Structures are given as structure tokens and as C-alpha cells.
Amino acid sequence: MRRSGKQRKAELQLKRAVKRGDVAPPEPQPRKKNFRRPPKLGHSLDARLLADDASRAARKLQSQFVKLDPNFLETTKHLAATLPLIRPIPDDARLLGLDHALSSSDLVIDQLNVPRRPKWKYTMSKVDVDANEQGYFRRWIAQTDAVVERWHNQNNQPVVSGTDLGSGDLSVPDTAVQDKMPCPPTHFERNLEVWRQLWRVTEISQILLCLLDSRCPPLHFPSSLESYLASRKAKIILVLTKVDIAGPERAEAWTAYLQKQHPGLPIVQVEAYQQKVGEQGRPVYESHLPFPFRERLVNAMRQVHEEMLIPPERVRSDEAKLKRWNPPVKREINWNGLLHAHGKKVGSIVGGAAMPKGKDKEDTTDDAQEPEQEGSDDEGQLELQEPEFLTVGLIGRSFSCQPNVGKSSLLNALFGIHKVRASRTPGKTKHFQTLFWTPDVRLVDCPGLVMPAFTPMDTQVLCGILPISRVSAIPFCIHQIGQLLPLETILGLAHPSANSVPVEDKRTWRDGKQPLSKDNKIHWTATEIMTAYANKKGWVTAKAGRPDIHRAGNAILRLVAEGKIAWAFWPPGTDLMTVGSSEGNGIWLIRDADQHAQELDEDDEGGSGDETDEVENPDEGSDEDGDKDEHLTDKEEHQDADFKSVTVGRFGVLAIDD
């Protein structure tokens, strides 16, 4: 209780009187116990500790990428405002370029690999296993960084325009004379905990479904991932998603290309959504897998399963081994149940995934080992028990929001019900999820990872491999994407110079001395595209009232990566004369004008909120949105905050928010 001034003065006078001896000291009063109110529901100490543990675990599994050089950001920002975009776009831009690693003579693609789990034994403690994996991962990071840095330095030779090229340091490009964007770095996952999720999924799965975006399949199945999966025991099936966006012609062309590049791997095309008419006539997309696509996928899994039931040659030649041999998968599978996916157990969540272990396996190493140990797999397989389920793992990284189709949408389409939430952020979920498809088959959804590859950063953003929230070089990405897509035409933008009043030339000239008139053709730059889009949407900065180009650039990147702006590449080596001309539109797939405008407007009204790609639980709240941006840098958080703000015109701050 707060005391008044008179009370404090009286207490001070009494204290002085006691000190002088004029007044006897007062009797000490018993100390009152502090009354503590009971905690509110959900605010107990145990609840807070659980919440803290959950937040720490979420931060522990956040993706980590290398930070861009500030000089690269400043250079590309200046060039994005000065370098004009090529119009019309050449037809060669429609072919997917895979020569990023071939531009360096002493680098080969095989130098990049996926980290593999070190050997371990059941007799090792948790601390020993963790220390072994930490040491191996640090060495892998150092080796991969050295290869990527050498590739970046060799490809990042500055291209300058001028006469004096012998003077000065060419290692740092001069933005005043440079006429080409520098080569960007590439990103890959740098968090060991995220890689451990991939290790677990590949260890417990007998069949692996690799989901590839049909708009650019090779970028989702790099050589590093291919070599890693080839060393595992699981069978691989390549699944082409989003075939409805790319179109049947491109899907067939990519299927033929992949069959040539990866002979022996089955390839299945799927589309996992259907379009319906929602409120106000706007299209609404729901997860749905048509029966022909479901039948193709199930038949491919059945064929692979039959191959795994055949004993290897060394076992068939020995009758004693053949009698004791057990297949690595369950023998009897109800394939008709997969086609219809009915029953209460469809899509149900199961506990931690455990591998089938044989007898006396405590002193042996993990069965998921390096390729040199595969010679003894047949001997150890003689003692393995038949697994209880057929485990199918899903590997892939792409946007999962509608109308894009990723792992989450495919899972919902397979189950026939909405069990997994779609997310706008690729790779948002970091815990692998295990769900039943049928009582005989369970699916393991692997978190999305950015695999090491010689793929530039802007291509990773375009294809949905790298989260846009982690991108700081927005002007650079807009410039590179603008070389492939006519963004000013797609978005219906007006050039910023059209709003300015032309200055009248009042100078007088003698006859024949007047200079030639300037070229009135409009040339677009990446910065002008962002400025025009910000002016169109009325997005301005809070203090100066200038066009918010960072918010506009962020929104444009999301439109491109999420499929609101339809695009697709053709396979390398395709004869463009047979597929027709793009009329200078690059990789843009022109849709119906009304549908295209509705999708762009719908994205603006829908905001930029992200949902987690996790199994739905009605008892959970929406706390995941509060923790999703904790890993961002200060600059990225500022940009994301600007993107989430809503303003209407220059005086939008005066609007009353009910």
C-alpha cells in the first residue's frame, strides 16, 4: 500500500524521536504474509516451462543460411535502379539453364554432396553420438563452403564497360561502370538438427517419393540429393507435381527428360487440387487427387514393392540363405485400400517411428550406413523380422499453398480429408510427421531442406526452394526474374515517368542545329517496377511517404513463387520452333484475363500471413505465428513488418481501424 506524504513525515519524526530517546521504541509488529493470487488458467509454472521448451525446440530447428555481403546488397541495389530490362524477352529464356557449374573448368557437380549420418552403435551414449555428428557436420560445412566460395569467385568476374581495364582492383566491381549483375551466391541448409530429420526419414522408409515441381524439376532433384538417396536401401519414385500449372505438353517433355537423365527411376505425374467457385465468383482451390493420378501413383508403388520382395542373386543361389531370407518390406499390402483410402485410420497420427530391428542387433551399427557396407546387408537381412507397416517417405521442398501443390496438399489429397495445413513458407515445418494412409501403409513427411547445389539465389527464390522471408536482396531478385517474366505487363503497371509532367524545352536553335529527338521508348528497370506496383497498390512508407518498394518487391516475389503468376520452363535442348513462340513473354503462361486479375487481387486481400505445415490439432492455439519470424535479421524483420502493414493511399494512416 502506498503511503501519503503526511504518513512518511510522521514516520520520520517518530524515528528521530526514538533515536534521541524522547519516545520509547514501538513494539515490532508481525510481518504479514504476501498474499499470492492463484495463477490463471494456462499461466501456471508448468505451463510456462512447457511453452519455453517448445519455443526453444522451434528455434533449434529453424533453417540457417549464410548472410549476404553488404557490398553485394549495395551493388545490386544500385544496378537494379540503372540497368534496363531486356524487352522483348528472348525465346532462349524459356529453356531452363543448368550450366551454372559448367562455367568453371576445374569444378564438377559431384563436389557437392549431402551430409550423411556417421556410423554409430547401440552401445554408444547419446553424448558420444551427438559429438560424433557435430564434428562430422563441422567438417562438411567447411568443405562445402570452400567449394561454393570457389565457384562463386570464378563465376563472379566483373563485366565492365570502359577502356581502362588494366588499372584498379577488379575483385571489387565498380557500380559506376558495371553493366551486368554480379553472380549471386547459393544457399544450402546449415543447421544440423534439420539434416537429422532427413536422416531419420531415409532410415525408416522403404519407399521414397521425391516430389519435383514440374515447372523446373531438376532444381528440386540435384545431383547431391540423387547420390545420397542412391546409397540408401529405399526405392525411389519421382513424382511430378503441379502438372496442371505447367501444362500437359511441358509435363510430358519433362518426363522424357527425366527418364533420360535418371534411367530406371519410375516417374509419376500428379495434380492435387480442384478449382471451385467461391464467394463473389472467385476461384477456390481444394485438395483433390483425381482417380487416374491416384491409380498411377499406387501402381508405381506396387511395382516397386514387388521388386523389393524378390531376393537378391546371392541369396537365390544359396538354398539355406533363401529359406532364412526375409524381405525388407511387408509382404501383404491392401492396394485396393490405397486407391479408395477409407476407414477411421486414414490420416491418423502415429507415434515415433521405429525401425524394424532383428535379433541381437544391439552391438551392430545402424543399418543405414555408407555404401561400402551394403555388401553385408543381405546377411543381416536374414535375421530381420517382417515390418508391421510399409513406410513411404515424402521428400521435397516447395510452396504448399493453393493453387501451388506441395507435400501438404498431396497428403490431404491422398487422405481425402484436410489433415495437414498448407503453408506459404517453404520448409516451415522442421519435424518429420508420421501418419497412416491405411492400416498397412504409413507416410512420413520429411521437412523441406535446401540441398547444396550450384544454383543461384534468384533461381532458388523463383522455384520456391528458398523462403522469401529470408531474402534480403529483393531488388536483385526482381531484376533477375524481370529478365524472364514481363512483370510490367502481367501486373498492368504504368511507368513512374508517366505521372510526371514533361518539361518544355524553351531553348532556341539555328536552322539545322537542333539535335535529334530523344528516344521516347519506355525502358523498365527493377526499381521502377517495384515503384510502379507500390503506386498502384497505394503502399507508401510511414515517415517520408515514398513508395514502399521493399513491400512491393516482397509481394511480387510471392506472386511469382506461389503460382499466382503462372510460369514454367522447358527442358534443356527443347526445339523452340516446335513449341511455338512466346511473343516476348518469356516463361509466362498466359491465363484467362479475368481469372488472372482475380488471383492477383485475392492475394493482396489475403495478406502475407503464413501458416505452419503441420498436422492440425483443434486443441492448439495460433501461437506459431508469434515465433515464426524470430530467426530473421533486424533488416528482414523491418521489411516483413512493412509488408504486413495495410495502408490505403498516402493518407491511409488517418483511417480508423475498428
Side-chain angles (χ1 to χ4, degrees):
M1 181 178 179
R2 186 176 182 182
R3 298 168 298 175
S4 64
K6 292 183 178 181
Q7 291 176 342
R8 291 196 300 269
K9 184 177 180 181
E11 292 177 359
L12 182 59
Q13 291 176 353
L14 178 61
K15 184 178 180 181
R16 291 176 179 176
V18 171
K19 188 176 182 180
R20 292 193 305 266
D22 298 340
V23 181
E27 296 180 0
Q29 298 180 356
R31 188 173 181 179
K32 296 182 180 181
K33 296 183 179 180
N34 294 332
F35 175 74
R36 188 171 185 179
R37 296 180 179 179
K40 297 181 181 180
L41 184 63
H43 290 266
S44 62
L45 179 60
D46 295 338
R48 289 196 298 269
L49 293 178
L50 291 176
D52 294 341
D53 294 341
S55 61
R56 282 193 295 268
R59 288 192 296 268
K60 188 178 180 180
L61 288 172
Q62 292 293 347
S63 293
Q64 298 177 5
F65 303 104
V66 66
K67 189 177 181 180
L68 293 178
D69 185 11
N71 294 331
F72 175 82
L73 297 177
E74 291 297 330
T75 301
T76 54
K77 182 179 179 181
H78 173 78
L79 293 176
T82 56
L83 294 181
L85 301 175
I86 300 177
R87 295 294 183 267
I89 301 176
D91 285 347
D92 295 341
R94 295 187 292 167
L95 301 179
L96 179 61
L98 299 176
D99 56 348
H100 307 297
L102 302 179
S103 58
S104 302
S105 57
D106 59 339
L107 287 176
V108 292
I109 299 179
D110 295 338
Q111 291 183 359
L112 291 180
N113 52 47
V114 171
R116 305 185 182 187
R117 188 179 187 183
K119 300 177 182 179
W120 63 278
K121 297 182 179 180
Y122 286 98
T123 57
M124 299 174 62
S125 64
K126 179 180 178 181
V127 177
D128 296 338
V129 173
D130 181 73
N132 189 20
E133 293 178 354
Q134 291 281 358
Y136 165 77
F137 189 72
R138 284 193 295 267
R139 295 190 297 270
W140 177 81
I141 283 287
Q143 296 173 1
T144 307
D145 284 341
V147 175
V148 170
E149 184 178 2
R150 187 150 49 97
W151 166 78
H152 179 257
N153 292 335
Q154 293 184 4
N155 289 345
N156 199 22
Q157 299 297 332
V159 181
V160 297
S161 59
T163 56
D164 188 11
L165 298 179
S167 62
D169 186 10
L170 295 181
S171 60
V172 180
D174 186 6
T175 58
V177 296
Q178 188 174 354
D179 57 1
K180 185 179 180 180
M181 279 287 184
C183 176
T186 183
H187 292 277
F188 60 91
E189 184 61 59
R190 307 176 69 87
N191 189 354
L192 173 60
E193 294 296 333
V194 182
W195 285 109
R196 283 172 173 168
Q197 303 298 313
L198 176 65
W199 296 345
R200 306 299 186 269
V201 172
T202 54
E203 288 172 2
I204 66 179
S205 301
Q206 290 104 26
I207 299 177
L208 291 174
L209 302 181
C210 295
L211 274 62
L212 312 181
D213 191 339
S214 60
R215 300 175 298 180
C216 48
L219 301 182
H220 293 266
F221 193 63
S223 59
S224 59
L225 178 61
E226 179 186 5
S227 60
Y228 171 75
L229 296 181
S231 65
R232 319 310 294 175
K233 299 178 183 178
K235 297 294 183 178
I236 305 173
I237 299 177
L238 302 182
V239 181
L240 282 181
T241 63
K242 312 174 188 174
V243 296
D244 46 333
I245 298 178
E249 296 182 1
R250 283 183 175 83
E252 292 296 335
W254 278 117
T255 301
Y257 176 84
L258 293 175
Q259 290 176 348
K260 183 179 180 181
Q261 296 294 325
H262 311 285
L265 294 182
I267 302 174
V268 183
Q269 303 177 11
V270 298
E271 61 178 41
Y273 82 96
Q274 62 180 353
Q275 180 178 342
K276 294 184 178 180
V277 179
E279 297 180 358
Q280 300 179 359
R282 294 181 177 179
V284 178
Y285 302 94
E286 295 182 355
S287 299
H288 175 70
L289 185 62
F291 185 80
F293 293 99
R294 179 187 294 268
E295 189 176 13
R296 296 176 194 171
L297 181 60
V298 172
N299 289 337
M301 295 173 56
R302 179 187 297 180
Q303 181 180 359
V304 170
H305 178 263
E306 292 176 354
E307 295 176 358
M308 300 181 72
L309 295 178
I310 301 176
E313 180 64 27
R314 57 182 303 175
V315 175
R316 293 198 302 265
S317 59
D318 191 341
E319 295 183 0
K321 292 182 179 180
L322 184 60
K323 293 180 180 180
R324 294 185 294 116
W325 183 83
N326 290 322
V329 294
K330 186 177 181 180
R331 297 179 183 270
E332 301 295 334
I333 301 295
N334 184 11
W335 298 106
N336 292 329
L338 294 180
L339 288 176
H340 303 286
H342 64 279
K344 296 182 179 180
K345 218 172 184 180
V346 173
S348 60
I349 308 171
V350 298
M355 293 189 60
K357 293 188 297 183
K359 301 177 182 179
D360 300 332
K361 280 287 184 176
E362 287 77 6
D363 296 334
T364 60
T365 57
D366 184 29
D367 67 334
Q369 293 296 341
E370 304 299 330
E372 57 266 21
Q373 283 195 343
E374 290 184 354
S376 61
D377 289 344
D378 298 333
E379 299 292 340
Q381 202 168 2
L382 300 176
E383 302 178 0
L384 283 177
Q385 299 176 357
E386 181 178 346
E388 186 179 0
F389 314 107
L390 173 63
T391 305
V392 181
L394 277 75
I395 297 178
R397 183 184 183 95
S398 62
F399 282 95
S400 303
C401 67
Q402 303 292 355
N404 270 358
V405 178
K407 297 193 303 299
S408 301
S409 299
L410 180 59
L411 286 174
N412 293 332
L414 290 176
F415 296 151
I417 54 178
H418 191 73
K419 294 296 296 184
V420 182
R421 271 187 234 163
S423 173
R424 294 192 176 200
T425 304
K428 181 63 177 179
T429 302
K430 293 306 175 186
H431 288 282
F432 70 88
Q433 305 170 23
T434 308
L435 304 99
F436 272 109
W437 187 356
T438 63
D440 299 329
V441 181
R442 63 178 180 179
L443 298 177
V444 184
D445 185 10
C446 178
L449 293 92
V450 181
M451 303 293 173
F454 293 114
T455 304
M457 176 189 61
D458 54 289
T459 307
Q460 292 177 324
V461 174
L462 172 67
C463 301
I465 300 175
L466 187 66
I468 296 178
S469 60
R470 310 300 300 272
V471 178
S472 55
I474 293 180
F476 169 78
C477 294
I478 293 295
H479 175 85
Q480 297 296 96
I481 295 176
Q483 302 283 16
L484 303 174
L485 291 168
L487 297 176
E488 67 280 2
T489 303
I490 299 173
L491 301 175
L493 304 179
H495 199 275
S497 62
N499 299 329
S500 59
V501 180
V503 180
E504 182 182 358
D505 188 2
K506 298 182 179 180
R507 294 176 296 177
T508 58
W509 303 91
R510 296 179 181 177
D511 295 339
K513 299 296 183 179
Q514 186 174 1
L516 299 177
S517 59
K518 297 182 180 180
D519 185 13
N520 295 328
K521 185 179 180 180
I522 296 178
H523 298 278
W524 286 87
T525 63
T527 303
E528 290 173 345
I529 288 179
M530 293 186 292
T531 303
Y533 192 66
N535 291 334
K536 180 180 179 180
K537 297 300 179 183
W539 295 338
V540 295
T541 57
K543 293 183 178 180
R546 299 190 183 97
D548 195 346
I549 60 175
H550 289 288
R551 179 180 178 183
N554 197 317
I556 294 174
L557 292 181
R558 292 183 184 275
L559 290 176
V560 174
E562 294 175 4
K564 300 298 177 65
I565 298 177
W567 60 270
F569 284 102
W570 285 99
T574 303
D575 187 5
L576 297 178
M577 299 298 295
T578 59
V579 298
S581 175
S582 64
E583 300 180 357
N585 292 322
I587 61 176
W588 181 32
L589 303 180
I590 303 177
R591 295 179 177 176
D592 180 66
D594 296 336
Q595 178 183 356
H596 178 68
Q598 286 180 357
E599 290 181 353
L600 296 182
D601 295 340
E602 187 180 73
D603 180 81
D604 296 334
E605 295 177 3
S608 60
D610 296 342
E611 296 178 350
T612 57
D613 182 20
E614 297 179 351
V615 179
E616 286 192 350
N617 188 348
D619 297 333
E620 293 179 354
S622 58
D623 295 336
E624 64 268 23
D625 293 336
D627 297 333
K628 64 180 179 180
D629 292 329
E630 292 180 0
H631 60 281
L632 299 181
T633 60
D634 294 337
K635 184 174 182 180
E636 293 169 348
E637 289 179 352
H638 173 71
Q639 295 175 0
D640 190 65
D642 290 342
F643 181 76
K644 291 182 179 179
S645 61
V646 179
T647 58
V648 181
R650 295 180 179 272
F651 301 98
V653 294
L654 301 179
I656 300 176
D657 189 7
D658 296 334

